[in-house]
């Protein structure tokens, strides 16, 4: 595989300004509702919600193999796993836009000021683009997590261990020379941003991201209010405990309602007027190309795929008992949120169903 072409933090142009919807892209609500219902059924999970925003109007369909919960499924908070990284990336671009960081600082200089010997040269930009030369998980993670591998593996690896593992790690690859998806790297980024702003991660996310975007039903941990969806194992029947991200909060801790997630995507579709307008626009700019002929394109927050002469942006995520898909198309003004409460299994239909639906709309 050829090495990645890292364009960060150059100001590559995005695909245009605000999303627009032409009459040709509009479908009637009955047709859209039928498609969403079919997608819910195809997922085959205890609970599933598909929520669509098209030109600002919303349509939500939910269902599942389990009896309906006491609270409507679309009002519950769902674990979004790695889709949290789209939020973390947006927070990073917001901090860059306001001069709190530049993206070119090394994480080690923020986490261990004055310590220079044998520290990683990986920058914040390397961490968010998965080019820092880090493995998917810290060395020794599996051994420590093994006693709780099927129930709470990340919860056994707290923040201080993540930071210490990073400062001790000796990569065999120079940062920027290889793309390798890393929960470890994005977790380190979160701790570095907290150190740079002298603000605990939870407070930083709430103050600089969730509140400005009006995401009042998005949280970093279960709230104990009965509104957190219950995940299930691969069999679709066995309940699993709520996800504990441990020291990996920036990589996968968020839980949110379908409507909050649509609000987040709508802000990316139409950033004008948002207090985070510059940051939102920055997340759509290509910053990395990889693979044969550099055909795979990434932005700081999203996977970016060509579709019908335009592009679509998306990120998926999974925990031990839930899955999520977030995606949007500026060319049609369409945003799609999909969540379900069944653990990923072989030939799982969830992501393919959500991806295919967004590609059609």
């Amino acid at each position: 595989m050829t090495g990645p072409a890292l364009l960060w933090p150059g100001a590559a142009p995005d695909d245009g300004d605000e999303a627009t919807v032409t009459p040709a892209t509009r479908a009637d609500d009955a047709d859209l509702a039928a498609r969403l219902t079919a997608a819910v059924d195809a997922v085959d999970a205890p609970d599933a919600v598909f929520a669509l925003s098209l030109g600002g109007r919303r349509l939500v369909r939910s269902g599942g193999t389990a009896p309906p919960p006491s609270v409507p499924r679309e009002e519950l908070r769902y674990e979004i796993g790695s889709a949290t990284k789209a939020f973390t990336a947006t927070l990073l671009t917001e901090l860059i836009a306001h001069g709190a960081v530049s993206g070119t600082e090394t994480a080690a200089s923020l986490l261990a000021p004055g310590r220079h010997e044998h520290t990683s040269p990986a920058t914040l930009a390397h961490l968010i683009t998965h080019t820092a030369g880090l493995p998917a998980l810290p060395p020794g993670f599996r051994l420590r997590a093994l006693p709780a591998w099927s129930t709470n593996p990340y919860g056994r690896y707290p923040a201080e261990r993540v930071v210490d593992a990073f400062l001790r790690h000796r990569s065999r690859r120079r940062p920027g020379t290889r793309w390798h998806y890393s929960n470890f790297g994005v977790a380190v980024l979160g701790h570095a941003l907290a150190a740079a702003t002298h603000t605990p991660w939870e407070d930083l996310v709430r103050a600089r991201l969730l509140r400005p975007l009006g995401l009042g039903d998005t949280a970093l941990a279960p709230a104990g209010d009965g509104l957190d969806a219950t995940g299930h194992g691969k069999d679709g029947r066995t309940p699993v405990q709520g996800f504990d991200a441990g020291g990996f909060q920036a990589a996968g801790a968020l839980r949110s309602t379908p409507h909050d997630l649509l609000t987040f995507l709508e802000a990316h579709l139409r950033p004008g007027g948002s207090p985070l307008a510059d940051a939102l626009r920055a997340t759509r700019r290509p910053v990395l190309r990889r693979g044969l002929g550099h055909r795979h394109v990434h932005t700081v927050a999203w996977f970016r795929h060509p579709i019908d002469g335009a592009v679509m942006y998306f990120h998926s995520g999974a925990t031990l008992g839930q899955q999520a898909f977030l995606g949007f198309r500026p060319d049609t003004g369409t945003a799609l949120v999909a969540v379900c409460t069944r653990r990923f299994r072989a030939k799982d239909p969830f992501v393919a169903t959500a991806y295919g639906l967004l590609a059609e709309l």
Side-chain angles (χ1 to χ4, degrees), residues 261-272:
L261 294 172
L262 274 185
T263 298
F264 178 68
L265 294 179
E266 287 168 346
H268 282 272
L269 275 172
R270 292 174 290 277

Side-chain angles (χ1 to χ4, degrees), residues 11-98:
D14 63 15
D15 300 299
D17 293 322
E18 308 306 295
T20 59
V21 182
T22 64
T25 67
R26 289 191 179 275
D28 63 78
D29 284 353
D31 176 60
L32 291 173
R35 294 193 199 185
L36 293 176
T37 299
V40 167
D41 293 340
V43 166
D44 187 25
D47 310 282
V49 181
F50 276 69
L52 176 70
S53 174
L54 179 59
R57 81 187 199 276
R58 293 183 176 185
L59 190 63
V60 180
R61 287 294 181 271
S62 63
T65 58
S70 58
V71 176
R73 287 180 168 103
E74 59 266 28
E75 296 179 12
L76 295 175
R77 286 185 295 267
Y78 295 85
E79 299 166 358
I80 67 170
S82 283
T84 296
K85 295 178 178 69
F87 287 76
T88 299
T90 305
L91 175 61
L92 174 60
T93 58
E94 196 277 336
L95 293 173
I96 290 174
H98 286 85

Side-chain angles (χ1 to χ4, degrees), residues 19-345:
T20 59
V21 182
T22 64
T25 67
R26 289 191 179 275
D28 63 78
D29 284 353
D31 176 60
L32 291 173
R35 294 193 199 185
L36 293 176
T37 299
V40 167
D41 293 340
V43 166
D44 187 25
D47 310 282
V49 181
F50 276 69
L52 176 70
S53 174
L54 179 59
R57 81 187 199 276
R58 293 183 176 185
L59 190 63
V60 180
R61 287 294 181 271
S62 63
T65 58
S70 58
V71 176
R73 287 180 168 103
E74 59 266 28
E75 296 179 12
L76 295 175
R77 286 185 295 267
Y78 295 85
E79 299 166 358
I80 67 170
S82 283
T84 296
K85 295 178 178 69
F87 287 76
T88 299
T90 305
L91 175 61
L92 174 60
T93 58
E94 196 277 336
L95 293 173
I96 290 174
H98 286 85
V101 295
S102 69
T104 60
E105 306 93 336
T106 66
S109 68
L110 298 173
L111 294 168
R115 175 177 169 177
H116 302 294
E117 187 177 4
H118 304 307
T119 56
S120 170
T123 66
L124 305 186
H126 289 133
L127 293 170
I128 195 60
T129 56
H130 304 285
T131 60
L134 296 178
L137 294 167
F141 175 88
R142 288 175 175 80
L143 181 62
R144 181 171 181 81
L146 189 60
W149 190 254
S150 62
T151 57
N152 187 30
Y154 287 88
R156 294 179 61 87
Y157 214 94
E160 57 270 19
R161 282 190 173 272
V162 172
V163 173
D164 183 65
F166 170 69
L167 294 174
R168 291 174 179 271
H169 184 68
R170 303 291 178 265
S171 177
R172 290 176 294 178
R173 295 183 178 273
R174 181 169 54 86
T177 60
R178 181 179 181 234
W179 186 89
H180 183 73
Y181 191 85
S182 176
N183 284 326
F184 183 20
V186 179
V188 170
L189 172 65
H191 299 305
L193 293 179
T197 57
H198 308 286
T199 307
W201 176 250
E202 296 88 341
D203 296 341
L204 183 63
V205 173
R206 292 190 187 99
R208 304 296 288 264
L209 189 63
L210 303 185
R211 287 177 193 150
L213 292 178
L215 305 180
D217 292 321
T218 301
L220 285 89
D225 57 4
L227 297 178
D228 290 297
T230 299
H232 297 78
K234 293 181 180 181
D235 62 7
R237 296 184 299 274
T238 306
V240 300
Q241 70 182 63
F243 182 61
D244 179 355
F248 293 78
Q249 285 192 315
L254 284 183
R255 57 188 62 228
S256 186
T257 64
H259 282 289
D260 255 21
L261 294 172
L262 274 185
T263 298
F264 178 68
L265 294 179
E266 287 168 346
H268 282 272
L269 275 172
R270 292 174 290 277
S274 169
L276 304 186
D278 290 343
L280 292 164
R281 290 191 178 99
T283 64
R284 281 177 27 187
R285 295 172 184 147
V287 299
L288 180 97
R289 302 180 189 277
R290 67 177 178 90
L292 185 63
H294 290 152
R295 63 187 180 192
H296 296 291
V297 180
H298 299 257
T299 79
V300 69
W302 306 102
F303 293 89
R304 181 182 185 266
H305 283 186
I307 183 76
D308 296 335
V311 292
M312 60 184 282
Y313 301 83
F314 68 95
H315 209 301
S316 61
T319 62
L320 297 179
Q322 301 188 41
Q323 298 182 65
F325 177 93
L326 310 180
F328 63 98
R329 290 183 57 172
D331 64 316
T332 61
T334 306
L336 178 70
V337 169
V339 292
C340 78
T341 58
R342 184 171 182 174
R343 185 171 181 171
F344 177 84
R345 71 269 193 201

